[in-house]
Amino acid sequence: MSRWSCNVGATRHAFGSLRELMAKSTPLRSGDILAGVAAASAEERVAAQLCLADVPLALFLDDLLIPYEADDVTRLIIDTHDRAAFAPVADLTVGQFRDWLLRYETDSHVLTALAPGLTPEMVAAVSKLMGNQDLVLVAKKCRVVTAFRNTLGLPGRLAVRLQPNHPTDDPQGIAASILDGLLYGCGDAVIGINPATDSVPAMETLLKLIDELIRRYEIPTQSCILAHVTTALEAMQRGAPVDLVFQSITGTEAANKSFGITLSLLGEARAAALSLKRGTVGDNVMYFETGQGSCLSANAHHGLDQQTCEVRAYAVARAFKPLLVNTVVGFIGPEYLYDGKQIIRAGLEDHCCGKLLGLPMGCDVCYTNHAEADQDDMDTLLTLLGVAGCNFIMGVPGADDIMLGYQSTSFHDSHYLRQVLGLRPAPEFESWLEKMRIATDGRRLLPVDGKHALLTAGGDARAP
């Protein structure tokens, strides 16, 4: 029995559930084909989008895509929904909501106030009716500011996660990459290492290395070892210098369980990190990563399309007031996002949807070597995200992560974006770059030689 139907040409298309309507409205991607939920043709996709445009936003509060009693993410979404914040758009359909978002009057202040009133399903739905330029424009209007040892997300700013991964966690190799990144003006978002070994001793070693560097040179940034949240908890109990707690998250309870996490565990980790009081200008202590396809890869997608599952993960992130949220957009592989076109679309969707929900979104502009994508595709997505006001990107030596085995963005790419768009680092970090004679005017690198303070043992950061 169909709940929605419409004619496209001579064919009548019918859709039996909101879950089916959402999936078949989604722009083409390989993961939805793999899951068997994608539209059978471009014509059916258009029909689904026409029907979706007439769905009332308020329906998403009653017609739950995953039952309330079956999923703790659903319960989180419904139990924390702010009806007062939702009121300005409560009478709109999905199509009318798209038009409302594009109005001149819908500015940053309006969207900030609205964010607690939006559910992931509402945001996912409207994004399915938006073109790439709509996603850029709406995201650009959103402003989400967070802080720990510096302030991220301010207008006219672009931060960079310095990602100095090493296949054997060799401290000397990691230190060399960190120094390289700092001398290119990267690292204001976080100095974040994916450890080759997820163990407490390995995490402690790497944390102490970064902590010593930050303290010695008085760098206004934060560190993070991207180990499992349980590893971070044990490290904190042993007195390790943990700044940010990391965890990969998804949009369903079952998929999160496959990652070995629960909402209560994330709450415990956040409380432990807050108790350390290591922040100087703010207390956002969590760092989350997500990616379209994670629920499907865990067979925990409940028949939903992968983009809707992804946006549900942002509800999990929002509950824990993170400093950083990063969609690792092309990392999971071509089974889920086949080529550059699909990766670009997904990156813009993720960034816009996260921002609408009030999250400090960054993006790992990336692809795997078996995807039908190349660095030109990444340059395109990088540029679009810069225009859209992305909070941060990745800085990987040579754009080639030799530990994780994928292609991302390099230290140099941040300078391209900062020059082209007139963007600057986080203000506290920019002042440090100038004090250390690494950069001037926030964007222009200064020449350095072997006598630079960062390259000399015992160098004095106060008088480089």
Side-chain angles (χ1 to χ4, degrees):
M1 180 178 180
S2 63
R3 293 182 60 187
W4 293 275
S5 62
C6 71
N7 292 333
V8 177
T11 305
R12 188 162 189 81
H13 297 272
F15 309 96
S17 67
L18 189 55
R19 180 187 293 116
E20 180 188 6
L21 185 63
M22 289 278 281
K24 292 188 173 180
S25 297
T26 306
L28 181 66
R29 63 209 58 198
S30 53
D32 291 339
I33 297 173
L34 179 65
V37 301
S41 65
E43 181 179 287
E44 186 181 30
R45 184 173 303 108
V46 169
Q49 290 171 339
L50 288 170
C51 291
L52 182 62
D54 291 331
V55 171
L57 279 181
L59 182 65
F60 289 100
L61 297 173
D62 299 317
D63 192 345
L64 304 181
L65 302 185
I66 303 177
Y68 183 91
E69 63 277 4
D71 184 85
D72 64 0
V73 178
T74 298
R75 293 193 290 274
L76 174 68
I77 291 167
I78 297 302
D79 293 349
T80 59
H81 181 249
D82 187 333
R83 287 188 176 269
F86 180 55
V89 297
D91 296 329
L92 301 183
T93 65
V94 176
Q96 290 170 335
F97 183 42
R98 172 189 172 272
D99 294 341
W100 184 89
L101 288 171
L102 296 173
R103 293 171 57 200
Y104 293 119
E105 296 81 6
T106 305
D107 59 16
S108 177
H109 298 293
V110 171
L111 291 173
T112 298
L114 177 66
L118 296 177
T119 70
E121 292 82 359
M122 296 173 190
V123 171
V126 75
S127 74
K128 297 175 193 299
L129 305 183
M130 297 166 74
N132 284 4
Q133 65 177 243
D134 297 338
L135 296 170
V136 170
L137 176 58
V138 172
K140 180 71 171 181
K141 295 183 182 188
C142 299
R143 183 61 53 197
V144 183
V145 178
T146 56
F148 188 75
R149 289 202 192 96
N150 58 29
T151 309
L152 303 173
L154 293 168
R157 303 283 175 171
L158 173 73
V160 183
R161 171 189 160 189
L162 203 171
Q163 184 171 310
N165 295 344
H166 192 280
T168 63
D169 286 342
D170 176 60
Q172 190 170 12
I174 288 171
S177 291
I178 292 175
L179 292 174
D180 189 23
L182 290 172
L183 290 171
Y184 275 104
C186 299
D188 46 347
V190 65
I191 301 175
I193 303 171
N194 297 87
T197 303
D198 193 328
S199 70
V200 175
M203 184 173 185
E204 286 182 315
T205 297
L206 296 176
L207 282 170
K208 290 174 181 176
L209 183 155
I210 306 176
D211 186 60
E212 179 182 354
L213 186 70
I214 288 175
R215 287 188 294 104
R216 176 184 295 183
Y217 296 105
E218 299 176 352
I219 308 172
T221 191
Q222 38 281 329
S223 68
C224 185
I225 305 305
L226 282 70
H228 194 268
V229 63
T230 53
T231 306
L233 272 168
E234 187 174 345
M236 285 188 280
Q237 291 168 1
R238 291 170 52 156
V242 174
D243 289 342
L244 306 184
V245 173
F246 166 80
Q247 184 56 48
S248 295
I249 56 173
T250 73
T252 71
E253 179 179 3
N256 283 326
K257 283 184 177 178
S258 77
F259 283 10
I261 61 170
T262 61
L263 299 181
S264 61
L265 179 62
L266 295 177
E268 180 185 350
R270 178 173 182 266
L274 285 171
S275 72
L276 300 180
K277 301 184 185 302
R278 292 178 58 82
T280 56
V281 297
D283 62 358
N284 299 112
V285 295
M286 303 298 285
Y287 175 14
F288 294 117
E289 287 190 346
T290 66
Q292 289 194 27
S294 56
C295 288
L296 176 58
S297 68
N299 195 28
H301 60 297
H302 295 269
L304 270 60
D305 65 272
Q306 68 182 35
Q307 191 250 346
T308 299
C309 285
E310 168 74 4
V311 184
R312 283 172 55 93
Y314 303 155
V316 176
R318 181 168 62 175
F320 300 100
K321 299 178 174 58
L323 180 75
L324 307 164
V325 180
N326 176 34
T327 169
V328 193
V329 63
F331 181 75
I332 201 166
E335 300 86 354
Y336 305 93
L337 295 170
Y338 178 72
D339 58 13
K341 179 180 177 66
Q342 293 186 12
I343 292 171
I344 289 168
R345 170 72 192 190
L348 295 177
E349 287 172 348
D350 294 352
H351 176 249
C352 181
C353 290
K355 283 287 185 66
L356 280 172
L357 291 170
L359 289 179
M361 291 300 295
C363 183
D364 191 340
V365 180
C366 64
Y367 65 102
T368 56
N369 287 314
H370 60 314
E372 289 294 322
D374 59 26
Q375 210 65 37
D376 285 340
D377 295 315
M378 299 306 103
D379 287 349
T380 300
L381 178 55
L382 175 71
T383 305
L384 290 168
L385 287 168
V387 174
C390 190
N391 280 30
F392 68 101
I393 60 169
M394 303 300 110
V396 177
D400 183 3
D401 193 303
I402 59 173
M403 194 279 281
L404 292 174
Y406 78 116
Q407 310 304 308
S408 184
T409 45
S410 72
F411 301 144
H412 306 71
D413 291 333
S414 66
H415 287 281
Y416 152 71
L417 214 52
R418 285 171 176 167
Q419 288 179 75
V420 167
L421 300 177
L423 302 172
R424 310 169 82 96
E428 300 89 345
F429 195 78
E430 179 182 352
S431 297
W432 179 81
L433 291 174
E434 293 185 355
K435 181 181 74 172
M436 293 294 291
R437 300 176 189 168
I438 294 171
T440 184
D441 192 34
R443 297 184 296 273
R444 189 180 183 89
L445 291 176
L446 298 173
V448 299
D449 56 26
K451 297 180 180 179
H452 190 276
L454 280 177
L455 303 177
T456 306
D460 187 348
R462 291 165 296 184

